[in-house]
Coordinates of all heavy atoms in Angstrom, one line a residue:
N138 N 14.7 -2.7 2.6 CA 15.3 -1.7 3.5 C 16.9 -1.8 3.5 O 17.6 -1.2 4.3 CB 14.8 -1.9 5.0 CG 15.0 -0.7 5.8 OD1 14.9 0.5 5.2 ND2 15.1 -0.8 7.1
W139 N 17.4 -2.5 2.5 CA 18.8 -2.5 2.3 C 19.0 -2.8 0.8 O 18.1 -3.3 0.1 CB 19.6 -3.5 3.2 CG 19.3 -5.0 3.0 CD1 19.8 -5.8 2.0 CD2 18.4 -5.8 3.7 NE1 19.3 -7.0 2.1 CE2 18.5 -7.1 3.2 CE3 17.6 -5.6 4.8 CZ2 17.7 -8.2 3.7 CZ3 16.9 -6.6 5.4 CH2 17.0 -7.9 4.8
G140 N 20.3 -2.7 0.4 CA 20.6 -2.9 -1.0 C 20.3 -1.7 -1.9 O 20.1 -0.6 -1.3
Y141 N 20.3 -1.8 -3.2 CA 20.3 -0.7 -4.1 C 19.4 -1.0 -5.3 O 19.5 -2.0 -6.0 CB 21.7 -0.4 -4.6 CG 22.7 -0.1 -3.5 CD1 23.4 -1.1 -2.9 CD2 22.9 1.2 -3.1 CE1 24.3 -0.8 -1.9 CE2 23.8 1.5 -2.1 CZ 24.5 0.5 -1.4 OH 25.3 0.8 -0.4
A142 N 18.4 -0.1 -5.5 CA 17.7 -0.1 -6.8 C 18.5 0.5 -7.9 O 19.2 1.5 -7.7 CB 16.4 0.7 -6.6
C143 N 18.4 -0.1 -9.1 CA 19.3 0.3 -10.1 C 18.5 0.6 -11.4 O 17.6 -0.2 -11.8 CB 20.3 -0.8 -10.4 SG 21.5 -0.5 -11.7
L144 N 19.0 1.6 -12.2 CA 18.4 1.9 -13.5 C 19.5 2.0 -14.5 O 20.5 2.8 -14.3 CB 17.6 3.1 -13.5 CG 17.0 3.7 -14.8 CD1 16.0 2.7 -15.4 CD2 16.3 5.0 -14.6
V145 N 19.5 1.3 -15.6 CA 20.5 1.3 -16.6 C 19.9 2.0 -17.9 O 18.8 1.6 -18.3 CB 21.0 -0.1 -17.0 CG1 22.0 -0.1 -18.1 CG2 21.5 -0.8 -15.8
N146 N 20.6 3.0 -18.4 CA 20.2 3.7 -19.6 C 19.0 4.6 -19.4 O 18.0 4.4 -20.1 CB 20.1 2.8 -20.8 CG 20.2 3.5 -22.1 OD1 21.0 4.4 -22.2 ND2 19.5 3.0 -23.2
P147 N 19.0 5.5 -18.5 CA 17.8 6.3 -18.1 C 17.3 7.2 -19.2 O 16.2 7.6 -19.2 CB 18.2 7.1 -16.9 CG 19.7 7.1 -17.0 CD 20.2 5.8 -17.6
V148 N 18.2 7.6 -20.2 CA 17.8 8.5 -21.2 C 18.2 7.9 -22.6 O 19.3 7.5 -22.8 CB 18.5 9.9 -21.1 CG1 18.0 10.8 -22.3 CG2 18.2 10.5 -19.8
S149 N 17.2 7.7 -23.4 CA 17.4 7.1 -24.7 C 16.8 8.0 -25.8 O 15.9 8.7 -25.6 CB 16.7 5.7 -24.8 OG 17.2 4.8 -23.8
T150 N 17.4 7.9 -27.0 CA 16.9 8.6 -28.2 C 16.6 7.6 -29.3 O 17.2 6.5 -29.3 CB 18.0 9.6 -28.7 OG1 19.2 8.9 -29.1 CG2 18.3 10.7 -27.7
G151 N 15.6 8.0 -30.1 CA 15.2 7.1 -31.2 C 13.9 6.4 -30.9 O 13.4 6.4 -29.8
T152 N 13.3 5.8 -31.9 CA 12.0 5.3 -31.8 C 11.9 4.0 -31.1 O 10.9 3.4 -30.8 CB 11.3 5.1 -33.2 OG1 12.2 4.3 -34.0 CG2 11.2 6.5 -33.9
S153 N 13.1 3.4 -30.7 CA 13.2 2.1 -30.0 C 14.1 2.4 -28.8 O 15.3 2.5 -29.0 CB 13.6 1.0 -30.9 OG 13.6 -0.2 -30.1
A154 N 13.6 2.5 -27.6 CA 14.4 2.8 -26.4 C 14.4 1.6 -25.5 O 13.4 0.9 -25.3 CB 13.8 4.0 -25.7
H155 N 15.6 1.3 -24.9 CA 15.7 0.1 -24.1 C 16.4 0.5 -22.8 O 17.4 1.3 -22.8 CB 16.6 -1.0 -24.7 CG 16.1 -1.5 -26.0 ND1 15.1 -2.4 -26.1 CD2 16.4 -1.1 -27.3 CE1 14.8 -2.6 -27.4 NE2 15.6 -1.9 -28.1
F156 N 15.9 0.1 -21.7 CA 16.6 0.3 -20.4 C 16.3 -0.9 -19.5 O 15.5 -1.8 -19.8 CB 16.2 1.6 -19.7 CG 14.8 1.8 -19.5 CD1 14.2 1.5 -18.2 CD2 13.9 2.4 -20.4 CE1 12.9 1.8 -18.0 CE2 12.6 2.6 -20.2 CZ 12.0 2.3 -19.0
M157 N 17.0 -1.0 -18.4 CA 16.9 -2.1 -17.5 C 16.7 -1.6 -16.1 O 17.3 -0.7 -15.6 CB 18.2 -3.0 -17.5 CG 18.5 -3.7 -18.8 SD 19.7 -5.0 -18.7 CE 21.1 -4.1 -18.0
L158 N 15.8 -2.3 -15.3 CA 15.6 -2.1 -13.9 C 16.2 -3.3 -13.2 O 16.0 -4.4 -13.6 CB 14.1 -2.0 -13.6 CG 13.3 -0.8 -14.4 CD1 11.8 -1.1 -14.4 CD2 13.6 0.5 -13.6
A159 N 16.8 -3.0 -12.1 CA 17.5 -4.2 -11.4 C 17.5 -3.8 -9.9 O 17.3 -2.7 -9.5 CB 18.9 -4.4 -11.9
Y160 N 17.8 -4.9 -9.1 CA 18.0 -4.6 -7.7 C 19.1 -5.5 -7.1 O 19.1 -6.7 -7.3 CB 16.7 -5.0 -6.9 CG 16.6 -4.3 -5.6 CD1 15.9 -3.1 -5.4 CD2 17.2 -4.8 -4.4 CE1 15.8 -2.4 -4.2 CE2 17.2 -4.1 -3.2 CZ 16.5 -2.9 -3.1 OH 16.4 -2.2 -2.0
D161 N 20.0 -4.8 -6.4 CA 21.2 -5.5 -5.8 C 20.8 -5.6 -4.3 O 20.9 -4.5 -3.6 CB 22.4 -4.7 -6.0 CG 23.7 -5.3 -5.4 OD1 23.5 -6.4 -4.8 OD2 24.7 -4.7 -5.4
D162 N 20.5 -6.7 -3.8 CA 20.1 -6.9 -2.4 C 21.3 -7.1 -1.5 O 21.2 -7.2 -0.3 CB 19.1 -8.0 -2.2 CG 19.6 -9.4 -2.5 OD1 20.8 -9.5 -2.9 OD2 18.8 -10.3 -2.4
V163 N 22.5 -7.2 -2.1 CA 23.8 -7.3 -1.4 C 23.9 -8.6 -0.7 O 24.7 -9.5 -1.0 CB 24.1 -6.1 -0.4 CG1 25.5 -6.3 0.2 CG2 24.0 -4.8 -1.2
K164 N 23.0 -8.8 0.3 CA 22.9 -10.1 1.0 C 21.5 -10.6 0.9 O 20.6 -9.8 1.1 CB 23.4 -10.0 2.4 CG 24.9 -9.7 2.6 CD 25.3 -9.7 4.0 CE 26.8 -9.4 4.1 NZ 27.3 -9.4 5.6
T165 N 21.3 -11.9 0.7 CA 19.9 -12.4 0.4 C 19.2 -13.0 1.5 O 18.1 -12.5 1.8 CB 20.0 -13.4 -0.8 OG1 20.6 -12.7 -1.9 CG2 18.7 -14.0 -1.1
L166 N 19.7 -14.0 2.2 CA 19.1 -14.6 3.3 C 20.0 -15.4 4.2 O 21.1 -15.7 3.8 CB 17.9 -15.4 2.9 CG 18.0 -16.6 2.0 CD1 18.4 -17.9 2.7 CD2 16.8 -16.9 1.2
Q167 N 19.5 -15.8 5.4 CA 20.3 -16.6 6.2 C 19.6 -18.0 6.3 O 18.4 -18.1 6.4 CB 20.3 -16.1 7.7 CG 21.2 -14.8 7.8 CD 21.0 -14.2 9.2 OE1 20.1 -14.4 9.9 NE2 22.0 -13.4 9.6
F168 N 20.4 -19.1 6.1 CA 19.9 -20.4 6.1 C 20.6 -21.2 7.3 O 21.8 -21.4 7.2 CB 20.2 -21.1 4.8 CG 19.8 -22.5 4.7 CD1 18.5 -22.9 4.8 CD2 20.8 -23.5 4.6 CE1 18.2 -24.3 4.7 CE2 20.5 -24.9 4.5 CZ 19.1 -25.2 4.6
L169 N 19.8 -21.5 8.3 CA 20.4 -22.2 9.5 C 21.6 -21.4 10.0 O 22.7 -21.9 10.3 CB 20.8 -23.6 9.1 CG 19.7 -24.5 8.6 CD1 20.2 -25.9 8.3 CD2 18.6 -24.6 9.6
D170 N 21.4 -20.1 10.2 CA 22.4 -19.1 10.8 C 23.6 -18.9 9.9 O 24.6 -18.3 10.3 CB 22.8 -19.6 12.1 CG 21.7 -19.6 13.2 OD1 20.9 -18.7 13.1 OD2 21.7 -20.5 14.0
R171 N 23.5 -19.3 8.6 CA 24.6 -19.1 7.7 C 24.1 -18.2 6.5 O 23.0 -18.4 6.0 CB 25.1 -20.4 7.1 CG 25.8 -21.3 8.1 CD 26.3 -22.6 7.5 NE 27.3 -22.4 6.5 CZ 28.0 -23.4 5.9 NH1 27.7 -24.6 6.2 NH2 28.9 -23.1 5.0
E172 N 24.8 -17.2 6.2 CA 24.5 -16.3 5.1 C 24.7 -17.1 3.8 O 25.8 -17.6 3.6 CB 25.2 -15.0 5.1 CG 24.9 -14.1 6.3 CD 25.7 -12.8 6.2 OE1 26.5 -12.6 5.2 OE2 25.5 -12.0 7.1
V173 N 23.7 -17.1 2.9 CA 23.8 -17.8 1.6 C 23.5 -16.7 0.5 O 22.6 -15.9 0.7 CB 22.9 -19.0 1.5 CG1 23.3 -20.1 2.4 CG2 21.4 -18.6 1.8
P174 N 24.2 -16.8 -0.6 CA 24.0 -15.8 -1.6 C 23.0 -16.1 -2.6 O 22.6 -17.3 -2.8 CB 25.4 -15.8 -2.4 CG 25.9 -17.2 -2.2 CD 25.4 -17.7 -0.9
A175 N 22.5 -15.2 -3.3 CA 21.6 -15.4 -4.5 C 22.3 -16.3 -5.5 O 23.5 -16.3 -5.6 CB 21.2 -14.1 -5.2
W176 N 21.5 -17.2 -6.2 CA 22.1 -18.1 -7.0 C 23.0 -17.5 -8.1 O 24.1 -18.0 -8.4 CB 21.0 -19.0 -7.7 CG 21.5 -20.0 -8.7 CD1 21.5 -19.9 -10.0 CD2 22.1 -21.2 -8.3 NE1 22.1 -21.1 -10.6 CE2 22.4 -21.9 -9.5 CE3 22.4 -21.8 -7.1 CZ2 23.1 -23.1 -9.6 CZ3 23.0 -23.1 -7.1 CH2 23.3 -23.7 -8.3
W177 N 22.6 -16.4 -8.7 CA 23.4 -15.7 -9.7 C 24.7 -15.2 -9.1 O 25.7 -15.1 -9.8 CB 22.7 -14.6 -10.4 CG 22.4 -13.4 -9.5 CD1 21.3 -13.2 -8.7 CD2 23.3 -12.3 -9.2 NE1 21.4 -12.0 -8.0 CE2 22.7 -11.5 -8.2 CE3 24.6 -12.0 -9.5 CZ2 23.2 -10.3 -7.7 CZ3 25.2 -10.9 -9.0 CH2 24.5 -10.1 -8.1
R178 N 24.8 -15.0 -7.8 CA 25.9 -14.5 -7.1 C 26.9 -15.5 -6.6 O 28.0 -15.2 -6.1 CB 25.5 -13.6 -6.0 CG 26.5 -12.6 -5.5 CD 25.9 -11.6 -4.5 NE 26.4 -10.2 -4.9 CZ 25.6 -9.2 -4.9 NH1 24.3 -9.3 -4.5 NH2 26.1 -8.0 -5.2
R179 N 26.6 -16.8 -6.7 CA 27.5 -17.8 -6.2 C 28.9 -17.7 -6.8 O 29.0 -17.4 -8.0 CB 26.9 -19.2 -6.4 CG 26.9 -19.6 -7.9 CD 25.9 -20.8 -8.1 NE 26.1 -21.3 -9.5 CZ 25.6 -20.7 -10.6 NH1 24.9 -19.6 -10.4 NH2 25.7 -21.3 -11.8
G180 N 29.9 -17.9 -6.1 CA 31.2 -17.8 -6.6 C 31.7 -16.4 -6.5 O 32.8 -16.0 -6.9
G181 N 30.9 -15.4 -6.0 CA 31.3 -14.1 -5.8 C 31.1 -13.1 -7.0 O 31.8 -12.1 -7.1
K182 N 30.2 -13.5 -7.9 CA 30.0 -12.6 -9.1 C 29.6 -11.2 -8.7 O 28.6 -11.1 -8.0 CB 29.0 -13.2 -10.1 CG 28.8 -12.4 -11.4 CD 27.7 -13.1 -12.2 CE 28.3 -14.4 -12.8 NZ 27.3 -15.0 -13.8
P183 N 30.2 -10.2 -9.2 CA 29.8 -8.8 -8.9 C 28.5 -8.4 -9.6 O 28.1 -9.0 -10.6 CB 31.0 -7.9 -9.4 CG 32.1 -8.8 -9.6 CD 31.5 -10.2 -9.9
F184 N 27.7 -7.5 -8.9 CA 26.5 -7.1 -9.5 C 26.7 -6.5 -10.8 O 25.8 -6.8 -11.8 CB 25.9 -6.1 -8.5 CG 24.5 -5.6 -8.9 CD1 23.4 -6.4 -8.8 CD2 24.4 -4.2 -9.4 CE1 22.1 -5.9 -9.2 CE2 23.1 -3.7 -9.8 CZ 22.0 -4.6 -9.7
R185 N 27.7 -5.7 -11.1 CA 27.9 -5.1 -12.3 C 28.2 -6.1 -13.4 O 27.7 -5.9 -14.6 CB 29.0 -4.0 -12.3 CG 29.0 -3.1 -13.5 CD 30.0 -2.0 -13.3 NE 30.0 -1.2 -12.1 CZ 30.8 -0.2 -11.8 NH1 31.7 0.2 -12.7 NH2 30.7 0.4 -10.7
T186 N 28.9 -7.1 -13.1 CA 29.2 -8.2 -14.1 C 27.8 -8.9 -14.5 O 27.6 -9.2 -15.7 CB 30.1 -9.2 -13.5 OG1 31.3 -8.6 -13.2 CG2 30.4 -10.4 -14.5
M187 N 27.0 -9.1 -13.5 CA 25.7 -9.7 -13.8 C 24.9 -8.8 -14.7 O 24.2 -9.3 -15.7 CB 24.9 -10.0 -12.5 CG 23.5 -10.6 -12.7 SD 22.2 -9.4 -13.0 CE 22.2 -8.5 -11.5
L188 N 24.9 -7.5 -14.5 CA 24.2 -6.5 -15.4 C 24.8 -6.5 -16.8 O 24.0 -6.5 -17.8 CB 24.3 -5.1 -14.8 CG 23.5 -4.8 -13.6 CD1 23.7 -3.4 -13.1 CD2 22.0 -5.1 -13.8
E189 N 26.1 -6.7 -16.9 CA 26.7 -6.8 -18.3 C 26.2 -8.0 -19.0 O 25.9 -7.9 -20.2 CB 28.3 -6.8 -18.1 CG 28.9 -5.6 -17.5 CD 29.2 -4.5 -18.5 OE1 29.0 -4.7 -19.7 OE2 29.8 -3.5 -18.1
E190 N 26.2 -9.1 -18.3 CA 25.7 -10.4 -18.9 C 24.2 -10.2 -19.3 O 23.8 -10.7 -20.4 CB 25.9 -11.5 -17.9 CG 27.3 -11.8 -17.7 CD 27.5 -12.9 -16.6 OE1 26.5 -13.2 -15.9 OE2 28.6 -13.3 -16.4
A191 N 23.4 -9.6 -18.4 CA 22.0 -9.4 -18.7 C 21.8 -8.5 -20.0 O 21.0 -8.7 -20.8 CB 21.3 -8.8 -17.5
A192 N 22.6 -7.4 -20.1 CA 22.5 -6.5 -21.2 C 22.8 -7.3 -22.5 O 22.2 -7.1 -23.5 CB 23.4 -5.4 -21.0
A193 N 23.8 -8.1 -22.5 CA 24.2 -8.9 -23.7 C 23.1 -9.9 -24.0 O 23.0 -10.3 -25.2 CB 25.6 -9.6 -23.4
D194 N 22.4 -10.4 -23.0 CA 21.4 -11.4 -23.2 C 20.0 -10.9 -23.7 O 19.1 -11.7 -23.9 CB 21.2 -12.2 -21.9 CG 22.0 -13.5 -21.9 OD1 22.6 -13.8 -22.9 OD2 22.0 -14.1 -20.8

Side-chain angles (χ1 to χ4, degrees):
N138 205 28
W139 66 79
Y141 300 88
C143 178
L144 176 62
V145 179
N146 204 30
V148 181
S149 301
T150 59
T152 57
S153 183
H155 302 279
F156 56 96
M157 296 193 302
L158 300 159
Y160 203 96
D161 180 6
D162 64 2
V163 183
K164 294 183 179 181
T165 296
L166 60 85
Q167 292 173 337
F168 176 67
L169 302 179
D170 296 325
R171 296 178 61 175
E172 292 182 2
V173 292
W176 180 255
W177 67 265
R178 197 170 227 140
R179 71 196 187 283
K182 180 180 293 185
F184 182 72
R185 197 177 306 185
T186 300
M187 182 276 295
L188 288 178
E189 297 271 357
E190 294 173 351
D194 263 353

